[in-house]
């Protein structure tokens, strides 16, 4: 089933000029980048985006990290895009990420782990709508 997921290339990755290499891995996996924008996330945007983690001990650190430099927000489209992207991202903690995954190759730590991907169809819709107008997504 063709579906869409929301992706973020995080500040630790943009700082090391990894956007192209990460995009190549996304495209090699058969996902299409149907919208993409490089932005500086505001404090408010990062707090809203990670609202579900507000009570977690790392919330403050997470918001600070996501606003520390430019990010690339993206919409990815393809067969089973949500699960497929989670698979090529690898585990949250790069020490546990499988060989050949984005986080295994590039992540620095469990916090600075280079990419975000939606974890469910409902969250994908919400996350895409936070950063993109439907008219700016060209499938
Ligand atoms: P993401 O939501 O970014 O795709 P994920 O779904 O693999 O990653 P979550 O459990 O949703 O992981 O955590 C969201 C983000 O919070 C992680 O990607 C990471 O940047 C940060 N994070 C998670 N656990 C920790 C931790 N123990 N310490 C610091 N930061 C953490
Ligand atoms: Mg998550």
């Amino acid at each position: 089933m063709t579906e869409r997921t929301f992706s973020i290339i995080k500040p630790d990755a943009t700082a090391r000029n990894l956007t192209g290499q990460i995009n190549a891995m996304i495209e090699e996996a058969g996902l299409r980048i149907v919208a993409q924008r490089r932005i500086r996330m505001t404090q408010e945007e990062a707090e809203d985006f990670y609202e579900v983690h507000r009570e977690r001990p790392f919330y403050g650190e997470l918001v600070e990290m996501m606003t520390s430099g430019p990010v690339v927000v993206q919409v990815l489209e393809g067969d089973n895009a949500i699960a497929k992207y989670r698979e090529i991202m690898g585990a949250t903690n790069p020490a546990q990420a499988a060989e050949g995954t984005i986080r295994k190759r590039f992540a620095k730590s469990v916090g600075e782990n280079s990419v975000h991907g939606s974890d469910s169809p409902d969250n994908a819709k919400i996350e895409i709508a936070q950063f993109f107008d439907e008219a700016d997504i060209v499938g």
Side-chain angles (χ1 to χ4, degrees):
M1 187 195 50
T2 299
E3 62 183 10
R4 286 176 177 172
T5 192
F6 180 70
S7 162
I8 304 176
I9 300 177
K10 295 182 178 182
D12 72 272
T14 62
R16 288 175 288 154
N17 237 6
L18 295 172
T19 301
Q21 288 184 72
I22 291 172
N23 279 353
M25 290 177 77
I26 289 169
E27 294 187 333
E28 276 156 18
L31 294 170
R32 309 183 76 83
I33 302 164
V34 294
Q36 172 169 264
R37 197 165 74 246
R38 182 169 163 116
I39 61 168
R40 253 328 252 269
M41 241 190 224
T42 65
Q43 175 91 12
E44 197 176 30
E45 280 172 336
E47 285 175 355
D48 285 356
F49 186 76
Y50 281 118
E51 183 63 39
V52 292
H53 295 311
R54 191 176 284 276
E55 300 310 323
R56 309 276 285 275
F58 56 81
Y59 180 72
E61 183 190 325
L62 178 57
V63 169
E64 191 178 325
M65 182 274 288
M66 291 300 285
T67 56
S68 68
V71 299
V72 178
V73 291
Q74 309 176 304
V75 181
L76 311 182
E77 189 176 86
D79 205 36
N80 261 326
I82 295 166
K84 185 177 278 181
Y85 190 44
R86 300 281 300 180
E87 194 181 314
I88 67 164
M89 283 166 41
T92 309
N93 183 345
Q96 278 142 31
E99 285 302 328
T101 60
I102 295 170
R103 284 168 168 166
K104 178 71 178 184
R105 273 186 78 186
F106 299 128
K108 298 168 79 170
S109 67
V110 66
E112 293 187 299
N113 60 2
S114 304
V115 282
H116 162 85
S118 306
D119 58 12
S120 70
D122 284 350
N123 285 337
K125 273 205 181 62
I126 293 166
E127 292 172 4
I128 289 168
Q130 189 183 345
F131 292 98
F132 290 97
D133 291 332
E134 191 58 35
D136 296 323
I137 304 170
V138 184

